[in-house]
Amino acid sequence: MDNKMVNIYLFGKKYEVPDNLTIMTAMEYAGYQLKRGCGCRNGFCGACATIYRIAGQQELKMCLACQTKVEDNMYVATLPFFPLVKQIYDIEKVKPEQQLMMQLYPEIYACIGCNACTKACPQGLNTMQYIAYAQRGDFAKCAELSFDCVMCGICSSRCPAGISHPQVAMLARRLNGRYLEPESGHLEKRVKEIWNGDYQQAMKDLMSKSDDELKELYNNRVIEK
Amino acid sequence: MYPEKFQESIRKVEARRKENAAMEPVRMTADEKDALLKAYHPDYREDQFEKLKVGVNAGDKAPHELADMLQAHARVHEGDVDLEHPDFETDVLIIGGGGAGCSAANEADEAGAKVMICTKLRPGDANTMMAEGGIQAADKEGDSPMQHFLDAYGGGHFAAKKELVAKLVTEAPEDIQWLNRLGVEFDKTDDGTMITTHGGGTSRKRMHACRDYTGMEIMRTLRDEVLNRKIPILDFTAAIEIIKDEEGRASGAVFINMETDELIVVRAKAVILATGGAGRMHYQGFPTSNHYGATADGLVLGYRAGAKLLYEDTLQYHPTGAAYPEQIFGALVTEKVRSLGAKLVNCDGEVFVHPLETRDVEAAAIIRETGDRGKGVDTGHGKAVWLDSPMIDLINGEGTIEARIPAMYRMFEKRGIDMRKEPILVYPTLHYQNGGLEINTDCMTTVENLYAAGEVTGGVHGRNRLMGNSLLDVIVFGRDAGRAAGQKVKEVKSGKLTLAHVTAFEESIKEAGISTQKVSPKLLPNYLRDRNVYDGPKIQ
Ligand SMILES: Cc1cc2nc3c(=O)[nH]c(=O)nc-3n(C[C@H](O)[C@H](O)[C@H](O)COP(=O)(O)OP(=O)(O)OC[C@H]3O[C@@H](n4cnc5c(N)ncnc54)[C@H](O)[C@@H]3O)c2cc1C
Ligand code: SF4
Ligand code: SF4
Ligand code: FES
């Protein structure tokens, strides 16, 4: 398929690239051997935070380079690292209380409600709102709203209050998963049975079977509907 | 919206959707599967493999691209670095900051050892981050470790090491519990019951998930825990050679700073290789679902140090890689799309395979459908078949796609395709390295004090891995390797460090008459456009 060529400006320098490329593949097309700013290449790892402006437009846009197609007259700067604050804690010793947020990430209470974080999030998350839930100590809601966060740090780069949103959300999710969500009875039970050695003999017996016997069992096993 | 050229085929798919959604396609018999694999699976294309000429596996076959790397020149030789004055010293050195590496680090730290992680990109720039579908564990009524064993061992074509499979399935529930207690948010009902589904080749619904970001949720939690434990991490630091001591025991590694090319020597009492897979080797020219650093480095590092490989000739081609649009060519369409009810259909809208056969069978069936049977859809850069995603909401109710597979929905929606209403185009993509370094139940390779865990190993999954058994492998054997190494270092006193094995390996390459310019490990793929680029000496 023939593609149109467009002009993009990588760190201000002009390159002509096919218009079906992402910013990431366009950089490679232009001759950059990427080391930083490239991880999963598929929207999961948040390595490729990028800022761009289309010439003539006022708005500064933020995106993931691996997920965004090039456009004509795009001025691009990558943001492969952003200094976030990550506080240290012991998940076994902390309690899922508002107090904890106040201790570890007090700066979240300085949020001025500008919503710049939400506007910039490439995952379309309601970032300001999850920070609001964190302030209130509502970790379940903060976890729910922040679940799809790829920790790219774009929101933090826009925040006048210097908040490290993805780290706040990380804490909330771990507290939610550890303490607030219900325990799985069937899981606890199975782990006890295994530790008790309940399956040892049956597993030994199975392992001692010949491959022909195992094939027989495998090919005729009942598959749960 | 798809361009006009696809519309006619889409209408045929739509016309049969209701009927297709309701039907239960027949499963293949064991003989039918065998015949299909032999005729169509890439692993069986003899011209794509060669016999290794040097090393412990000399005489065994490997894909050309891998053989090239296994039999290439080293990046560092005796005398290039000062082994007497290492830059760092530690007890347990972990190479690779993915799921297996971070699990190992947490356990080795727990065992009281001094631990250090070195990783090529950032910690978490790893295949683990990308796993969408889920993780298996037999923790429900009606299921058992034995049932899980049968699925895994049979799914791997009865070739796995039984004792490793037994470990995998027996430790699965406690490792799910461990993750949960670290704060991993598994999908649960209000009473705490895990929401579990089938995966290809499972006989029970035992796939646990965190929406369709399972790997991301596990990876970021494990990484957070590593940071909380203050385990030192050297990022952008890639291993290029294992260091041994005079007695042949692994005793550290040489690294290269990816940005400055500086060489770094780390001395350790035990080394754990957790470098993951090989998708970016693009075997047989296939696209890949893997992360940027998946270049089989661990196989090369281990092999030159004398560790044995097992099943290095078997790769997993995930049946459903995205085939359209071009920007996501090769990206994974999670198996969960099929678990939730979507079926594969050809250009005429006919179902041609049961959606939940094992991956190798599904991939071979797609290659047959688009090849010899001529029932593929032409995308403009290759053939593909439809995965009829709208069946999901049809079967499970509206809103299922957005709630259960949001990452998939987002990936296509961003490219103007609404998978709730339109089917998606798929073709097999290089996904997983089934084989790798052979390990024993303590995760030790055939080289003393060289441990390995995760996708870099071979033997756990035989010749084919089931969905959800790899994330599990990473946690089970990552933790086990960390524990074993953490214990072992208490009694290790390593001697003088040496790279003599590298010299010996270079010698054997020469003797075998291999003449090559290539160096390994590969570290990163090259995606630069072909043209003249200055390749002279670096400015000092
Ligand atoms: C898109 C996708 C979806 C998947 N979905 C599932 C699923 O649903 N269920 C499932 O069970 N499995 C799934 N898998 C497979 C599974 O995620 C991986 O097999 C597993 O996570 C591998 O973990 P690992 O720790 O062994 O390797 P990785 O997580 O890849 O980590 C390896 C690490 O080592 C580093 N490294 C590599 N070379 C070097 C070097 N020379 N020096 C230093 N560091 C190095 C890498 O940069 C990386 O950080 C999926 C895989 C992919 C790619
Ligand atoms: S919330 Fe912030 S860190 Fe998370 S994905 Fe959005 S912009 Fe990135
Ligand atoms: S950018 Fe910062 S200050 Fe503005 S709304 Fe978001 S968190 Fe608050
Ligand atoms: S490279 Fe991982 S999100 Fe772009």
Side-chain angles (χ1 to χ4, degrees), chain A residues 26 40 76 83 110-111 122 133 138 141 164 175 191 214 217:
Chain A
C40 65
V76 178
C111 165
Y133 283 127
D138 191 340
K141 287 251 173 61
S164 296
L175 291 170
V191 171
L214 286 167
L217 283 172

Side-chain angles (χ1 to χ4, degrees), chain B residues 160-356:
Chain B
K161 288 176 84 167
K162 282 184 190 165
E163 64 279 16
L164 296 179
V165 185
K167 230 171 172 238
L168 180 82
V169 300
T170 308
E171 291 175 21
E174 67 180 85
D175 282 358
I176 296 289
Q177 188 186 55
W178 180 70
L179 289 172
N180 200 180
R181 290 192 177 163
L182 283 175
V184 170
E185 301 180 298
F186 287 105
D187 296 342
K188 293 177 181 176
T189 61
D190 289 342
D191 69 357
T193 307
M194 294 278 182
I195 299 175
T196 53
T197 53
H198 269 305
T202 56
S203 63
R204 298 289 183 275
K205 292 181 182 171
R206 71 168 81 85
M207 193 71 62
H208 301 57
C210 315
R211 304 192 202 174
D212 63 347
Y213 282 118
T214 311
M216 178 165 108
E217 168 68 352
I218 291 175
M219 185 69 242
R220 64 194 178 190
T221 304
L222 289 173
R223 178 177 59 193
D224 198 58
E225 185 61 16
V226 167
L227 295 172
N228 278 352
R229 285 172 178 267
K230 301 190 190 147
I231 295 168
I233 303 174
L234 285 192
D235 56 358
F236 294 95
T237 302
I240 52 173
E241 212 63 63
I242 298 294
I243 301 172
K244 291 183 164 185
D245 72 358
E246 305 141 311
E247 286 173 46
R249 298 174 297 194
S251 305
V254 183
F255 294 87
I256 187 167
N257 179 324
M258 293 291 283
E259 295 183 307
T260 64
D261 288 348
E262 181 196 2
L263 295 179
I264 299 152
V265 173
V266 182
R267 183 188 177 110
K269 293 177 180 162
V271 180
I272 302 178
L273 273 171
T275 51
R280 297 277 158 192
M281 299 285 280
H282 294 293
Y283 296 127
Q284 302 190 24
F286 271 86
T288 184
S289 62
N290 285 193
H291 85 113
Y292 189 42
T295 49
D297 296 357
L299 269 52
V300 173
L301 294 168
Y303 198 65
R304 256 201 309 258
K308 190 164 175 278
L309 301 173
L310 185 61
Y311 303 138
E312 67 283 0
D313 59 335
T314 80
L315 281 306
Q316 181 166 85
Y317 296 84
H318 194 293
T320 59
Y324 185 87
E326 206 180 336
Q327 299 107 46
I328 51 170
F329 189 39
L332 184 71
V333 173
T334 171
E335 189 163 312
K336 215 162 141 197
V337 176
R338 280 174 290 134
S339 304
L340 288 169
K343 295 194 176 91
L344 288 162
V345 300
N346 62 24
C347 63
D348 292 328
E350 298 155 345
V351 175
F352 58 89
V353 63
H354 190 290
L356 294 178

Side-chain angles (χ1 to χ4, degrees), chain A residues 31-192:
Chain A
Y32 283 80
Q33 168 78 54
L34 301 177
K35 286 175 181 168
R36 270 190 193 268
C38 179
C40 65
R41 301 178 73 97
N42 205 15
F44 288 93
C45 75
C48 61
T50 295
I51 316 174
Y52 69 91
R53 188 198 295 279
I54 307 296
Q57 293 182 8
Q58 201 207 335
E59 201 187 352
L60 199 57
K61 293 196 174 144
M62 312 288 297
C63 69
L64 297 173
C66 67
Q67 296 295 293
T68 311
K69 255 213 253 196
V70 289
E71 289 175 52
D72 205 15
N73 287 320
M74 188 182 229
Y75 281 78
V76 178
T78 59
L79 191 66
F81 174 81
F82 192 79
L84 295 172
V85 175
K86 144 84 188 133
Q87 298 294 0
I88 304 294
Y89 55 91
D90 182 342
I91 189 71
E92 284 305 316
K93 296 207 176 108
V94 292
K95 292 203 177 69
E97 290 163 0
Q98 193 187 7
Q99 187 65 26
L100 183 67
M101 272 297 170
M102 290 178 170
Q103 264 169 18
L104 294 180
Y105 294 106
E107 65 276 13
I108 62 172
Y109 296 94
C111 165
I112 58 166
C114 67
N115 210 26
C117 49
T118 305
K119 278 194 220 140
C121 176
Q123 289 288 82
L125 303 182
N126 192 343
T127 312
M128 180 172 87
Q129 187 59 48
Y130 83 56
I131 291 296
Y133 283 127
Q135 287 171 343
R136 275 176 246 163
D138 191 340
F139 300 125
K141 287 251 173 61
C142 179
E144 166 77 26
L145 285 195
S146 72
F147 189 82
D148 295 1
C149 173
V150 296
M151 304 187 80
C152 63
I154 287 178
C155 48
S156 309
S157 76
R158 306 295 285 152
C159 178
I163 294 169
S164 296
H165 314 65
Q167 297 297 358
V168 171
M170 186 73 234
L171 172 61
R173 282 192 305 271
R174 287 191 67 182
L175 291 170
N176 187 49
R178 173 71 180 88
Y179 295 107
L180 303 175
E181 285 184 344
E183 272 203 354
S184 292
H186 61 88
L187 176 63
E188 305 291 319
K189 179 161 169 266
R190 181 56 46 85
V191 171
K192 278 202 194 104

Side-chain angles (χ1 to χ4, degrees), chain B residues 507-529:
Chain B
E507 242 352 273
S508 60
I509 288 179
K510 211 194 272 165
E511 272 166 31
I514 298 169
S515 109
T516 174
Q517 302 287 324
K518 295 193 170 125
V519 293
S520 65
K522 193 176 174 79
L523 303 182
L524 288 177
N526 180 352
Y527 294 141
L528 306 187
R529 193 163 46 112

Side-chain angles (χ1 to χ4, degrees), chain B residues 316-319 335 357-363 431 465 467:
Chain B
Q316 181 166 85
Y317 296 84
H318 194 293
E335 189 163 312
E357 297 284 8
T358 51
R359 286 184 173 169
D360 46 359
V361 171
E362 297 277 338
H431 188 56
R465 166 192 68 108
M467 168 198 181

